[in-house]
Amino acid sequence: MSNLYFQALEKDIFTRATLLTYQVQELHQAHDFSGVDALCKEIGQASGTRFTVVMPDGTVIGDSHENPKKMEQHATRPEVYRALGGQTGLDTRFSRTVKEEMMYVAVPLQNENHETVCAVRAALPMTDIEQELNTMVRRVVSVCILAGIVAMGVCIIMVRRITLPLHNMSRAARSFAEGDFHLRVPRQATLELDELAESLNIMSEQLNTTLSTISEQRNEQNAVLSSMDEGVLAVDKKERIIHMNRVAGEILDVDHHQVKKQLVPQIIRYANLQEFIKALLGSQRPIDRDMSLIGDVEKQIQASGTVLLNADGQSIGALIVLRDVTQLRHLETVRSDFVANVSHELKTPITSIKGFVETLLSDDWNHEPNILRFLEIINQQAGRLNNIIDDLLTLSRLEQKEGHVMTEMTRLSGVIETAIYLCQLQAGKKNIQIDCICPEELELQINAPLIEQALVNLIINAVKYSEPDKKVLVLAEKHEGFVSLCVKDEGFGIERKHLERLFERFYRVDTARSRKLGGTGLGLSIVKHIVLAHDGTIRVESKLGTGTTFIIEIPVTEGE
């Protein structure tokens, strides 16, 4: 702004100097230098402008404020120097003559030959100019400040119209975050804010519905887990506890409320259970194991573990179910001891009865036919009872040794051949052929007499429940991680409803036929316990009228 003002002022001074030039020209031509001085004083006083006329040698012949004769040479003044050179001169400086800051504009006065005959200078004090400029600046600043205050007030009003609804929405959002979904954002005046308010209200309703559903599901889940008799433990892949129910906490002697996100080794002090969890996370397949937890009180538990999957079917850890079977194991031990003790007590009188009956059946006694028939029945039933006692004692010994049998690397073909040889006599009576398929080099870490007894029991069963002239096949194969032993017959077959209970003690598919064939009802139970003692499994496949297959699977240890 100041530059524009000074440019306008420069042009004004130039115009005044030019106008004076025309009047000085006539006086100069007449060499009326006193008239020039008088003209300068007259016009200068009338216009408030200082005029000075300077000859080419620097002599002042006219000045509106001073006596020219008393003034010094002006040829060296910048504006005069340029004007005497034929150009318009401009300068701003402090005047020693009038003692003020002045703006000078000098124009040349030329004759017909374009020669400069003198310089006409006009000047105005800068003090007035600066005062006027400062007044203008103050007015502009005042207007700007007033406009800023007005604009600020308008902005405050507009901002409050926007921020107040936003503040209300922010308060509603905080209420939603704190779980209070009853607050609603009111309708707004502007379209955009009204849409935002409506979106917040919809979001509140959806969150309320979703969280209510999640809370209900969580309560149901906690109720189910808390009501279970089994302990439930969930861990992630880094062995951090995801969840533990009350029963699991009681089994492991920990507070189930304080274990979430804790590492398994920090909470569970039982090394065998820690190893079980590591194995489960590493194998990514279901594992079942019986173990003892030795603490202040020894506990017997059954641990069943499986892979824990998320909604996308991806593995995120493991789920372990713990069953406290301490009381059950105690009862089983009591039962086993009772059976063993009773069997031992019955063994002696049964042996005595059988001995006396055999003596009475000898040729030294001449009995009537009815007495002889009764003695034979007594002898038969005594023998059957003796067999049952022998089987019960065998079962008792197996239960005591389960998981602790002595094993050694054994060639399977020899064990199978011995078992077949022991069954050949009974098979020959029905003309039943027993075949064996087993690789000669196949070896397995087993207790040979026990596996032999299991095979004998299965082969004898196959012979008993097959028609004459049939075949029985014993097949041994090695698979990845285990060896299978199969005994397959072409007998009567077993209905599906009997398969689940087939290995229970004294369970008979056909009671009459079993007694007629002399079975005790304990043979398959003995087979099952022998297989369990080798950490194996046994299953049966059968179809009525086509035959039955018993399949034993024994795991292969490292190095076999």
Side-chain angles (χ1 to χ4, degrees), residues 441-460:
E441 70 281 0
L442 182 56
E443 293 185 342
L444 189 61
Q445 188 80 19
I446 58 173
N447 183 297
L450 290 179
I451 294 297
E452 179 185 304
Q453 182 179 355
L455 290 174
V456 167
N457 285 5
L458 293 176
I459 294 171
I460 290 297

Side-chain angles (χ1 to χ4, degrees), residues 153-425:
V154 173
C155 289
I156 291 173
I157 294 172
M158 295 301 295
V159 167
R160 286 186 62 83
R161 290 186 63 186
I162 296 174
T163 57
L164 184 59
L166 290 177
H167 176 72
N168 293 334
M169 293 180 191
S170 176
R171 185 177 60 183
R174 285 195 297 270
S175 298
F176 299 159
E178 294 170 357
D180 181 9
F181 300 103
H182 300 291
L183 184 63
R184 288 292 178 266
V185 182
R187 300 293 298 270
Q188 304 298 319
T190 59
L191 177 61
E192 293 78 5
L193 291 177
D194 187 60
E195 290 178 351
L196 179 58
E198 184 65 21
S199 299
L200 284 173
N201 291 333
I202 294 174
M203 181 188 69
S204 171
E205 294 177 1
Q206 292 177 345
L207 281 175
N208 189 26
T209 302
T210 302
L211 291 178
S212 297
T213 303
I214 292 174
S215 178
E216 183 178 351
Q217 292 175 348
R218 183 178 64 249
N219 292 336
E220 292 175 354
Q221 177 185 355
N222 290 336
V224 171
L225 292 175
S226 300
S227 302
M228 291 178 64
D229 293 332
E230 296 85 4
V232 177
L233 174 64
V235 299
D236 63 15
K237 289 186 174 181
K238 295 182 180 179
E239 296 188 38
R240 288 180 304 205
I241 296 175
I242 300 174
H243 181 80
M244 178 187 291
N245 72 345
R246 175 185 55 82
V247 178
E250 293 174 355
I251 293 174
L252 301 176
D253 295 326
V254 297
D255 184 357
H256 69 284
H257 294 105
Q258 306 295 329
V259 300
K260 192 169 185 178
K261 295 185 179 180
Q262 298 292 321
L263 291 173
V264 168
Q266 296 176 343
I267 301 301
I268 300 175
R269 64 179 184 271
Y270 304 106
N272 51 354
L273 184 55
Q274 292 180 16
E275 185 274 330
F276 174 80
I277 294 173
K278 287 183 180 292
L280 180 60
L281 291 172
S283 67
Q284 294 295 299
R285 65 179 183 179
I287 299 178
D288 296 323
R289 188 176 299 175
D290 292 344
M291 63 183 71
S292 298
L293 302 182
I294 300 176
D296 297 336
V297 177
E298 183 176 354
K299 298 177 182 178
Q300 301 292 326
I301 66 167
Q302 288 180 340
S304 300
T306 188
V307 179
L308 187 63
L309 304 176
N310 61 13
D312 298 326
Q314 297 176 337
S315 172
I316 59 173
L319 181 68
I320 301 98
V321 177
L322 304 174
R323 300 177 182 86
D324 188 347
V325 294
T326 305
Q327 186 66 21
L328 179 61
R329 291 288 182 265
H330 174 70
L331 294 175
E332 288 179 352
T333 302
V334 171
R335 178 183 57 79
S336 178
D337 292 343
F338 173 76
V339 171
N341 293 335
V342 170
S343 299
H344 278 293
E345 294 298 326
L346 292 175
K347 185 71 175 176
T348 300
I350 292 299
T351 302
S352 299
I353 292 172
K354 189 172 177 59
F356 286 127
V357 171
E358 288 175 351
T359 301
L360 292 174
L361 287 173
S362 65
D363 295 337
D364 297 335
W365 301 86
N366 294 319
H367 297 294
E368 295 180 2
N370 286 336
I371 294 176
L372 187 61
R373 183 167 61 86
F374 292 150
L375 288 173
E376 288 176 349
I377 291 174
I378 293 172
N379 185 49
Q380 181 183 358
Q381 295 302 319
R384 181 171 176 274
L385 187 57
N386 189 59
N387 291 336
I388 290 175
I389 292 172
D390 288 339
D391 287 347
L392 286 173
L393 290 172
T394 300
L395 275 174
S396 179
R397 288 193 295 270
L398 286 172
E399 288 175 342
Q400 293 173 1
K401 293 181 179 180
E402 197 166 291
H404 304 284
V405 296
M406 299 296 295
T407 62
E408 61 181 355
M409 193 62 69
T410 307
R411 189 167 60 87
L412 271 183
S413 59
V415 177
I416 296 174
E417 289 170 2
T418 302
I420 292 175
Y421 175 77
L422 294 174
C423 300
Q424 283 291 3
L425 180 61

